[in-house]
Amino acid sequence: MALDLPALDAAEAMVARLGDSVTFYKIGYQLAYAGGLPLVRQLANAGKKVFVDLKLHDIGNTVARGVESVAKLGATFLTVHAYPQTMRAAVEAARGSGLKILAVTVLTSYDDGDLHAAGYRLGVSDLVEARAQQAQVLGVDGLVCSAEEAASLHRIVGHRMVLVTPGIRPAGAAVGDQKRIMTPGRAIAAGADYLVVGRPVLEAADPKAAADAMRAEILQALGK
Ligand code: C5P
């Protein structure tokens, strides 16, 4: 559940409201840069898992030191951009800490034209595949991808790496700016290991009921 909220108090209120319905939270730019990072430790102490979605990318030494700091907060997942130096530094720094590194292959808002404009030779699908293979070789724990990419990525990297998929919408929900969406049930069937859900819960009249409904759909898709 993506805690995409503007302030710590709003995030704490949402966590209290969701109670036992949510066990895994994601903290991204908006909340982290608004004083939300202490919530990682608070949530971890309360028995929740936390995904720190700060998509690190810098020189190896800086990435490594950043990863060590995030590991000390008690986070479970941290994202980095899928550049070989960055992934190598992050994996080494996280080793033995319990923090798992997820690589973002190509941002989902990028198309072939955007990559070309940024100086890349490969198109989106070739670059996603190349980076997924590099991530696997370097020992990265998982990938962030659209649910549409999940089946083909599992074929490329096998089932050791976890696939974490945003762009999840229950049938009939507002799409927002997401381009490639799937329902929770279909995403699980496509091979997603973790689903990232933000607005369908945050903007619901009853967020707890919305979270419970998604949970039920996930459990049903898993045959539980
Ligand atoms: O509100 P919504 O369910 O679209 O939230 C999706 C979350 O997943 C947001 O926090 C967004 O930043 C994140 N995300 C994404 N697409 C990616 C990577 C992360 O939507 N490729």
Side-chain angles (χ1 to χ4, degrees):
M1 153 79 206
L3 274 175
D4 292 332
L5 291 164
L8 185 55
D9 53 358
E12 285 173 336
M14 180 57 72
V15 169
R17 206 167 165 188
L18 291 168
D20 292 339
S21 298
V22 175
T23 54
F24 211 145
Y25 285 100
K26 181 172 91 70
I27 294 180
Y29 285 7
Q30 185 187 21
L31 183 57
Y33 297 140
L37 276 179
L39 196 55
V40 179
R41 169 56 58 207
Q42 281 178 46
L43 287 168
N45 286 347
K48 307 287 186 190
K49 290 185 173 178
V50 189
F51 169 2
V52 175
D53 188 15
L54 292 181
K55 300 185 178 71
L56 305 192
H57 182 44
D58 207 310
I59 60 170
N61 181 63
T62 303
V63 169
R65 300 292 89 79
V67 168
E68 285 166 10
S69 293
V70 173
K72 286 192 193 122
L73 295 173
T76 296
F77 286 155
L78 170 67
T79 40
V80 303
H81 283 282
Y83 286 77
Q85 272 191 20
T86 294
M87 293 191 286
R88 187 177 293 112
V91 167
E92 279 172 20
R95 191 164 289 137
S97 70
L99 176 68
K100 294 191 184 321
I101 302 297
L102 303 179
V104 178
T105 52
V106 176
L107 291 169
T108 45
S109 59
Y110 274 55
D111 61 20
D112 290 349
D114 295 310
L115 286 179
H116 183 72
Y120 289 90
R121 196 167 36 84
L122 299 179
V124 172
S125 60
D126 288 339
L127 190 56
V128 166
E129 185 172 331
R131 288 181 166 178
Q133 278 168 348
Q134 288 170 334
Q136 185 191 29
V137 169
L138 290 168
V140 169
D141 300 288
L143 299 170
V144 179
C145 64
S146 75
E148 286 172 13
E149 290 163 345
S152 64
L153 280 178
H154 266 317
R155 273 195 294 278
I156 294 166
V157 302
H159 285 266
R160 271 240 182 94
M161 291 179 91
V162 295
L163 299 183
V164 178
T165 63
I168 302 300
R169 293 291 180 270
V175 171
D177 57 357
Q178 293 287 7
K179 294 198 175 124
R180 291 174 281 163
I181 58 162
M182 267 196 203
T183 63
R186 284 192 50 226
I188 295 288
D193 300 293
Y194 292 88
L195 313 185
V196 178
V197 180
R199 287 163 289 182
V201 170
L202 292 174
E203 294 176 0
D206 183 343
K208 188 171 169 63
D212 286 339
M214 293 192 111
R215 226 177 130 112
E217 189 175 335
I218 292 166
L219 290 173
Q220 193 185 20
L222 290 169
K224 290 188 178 164

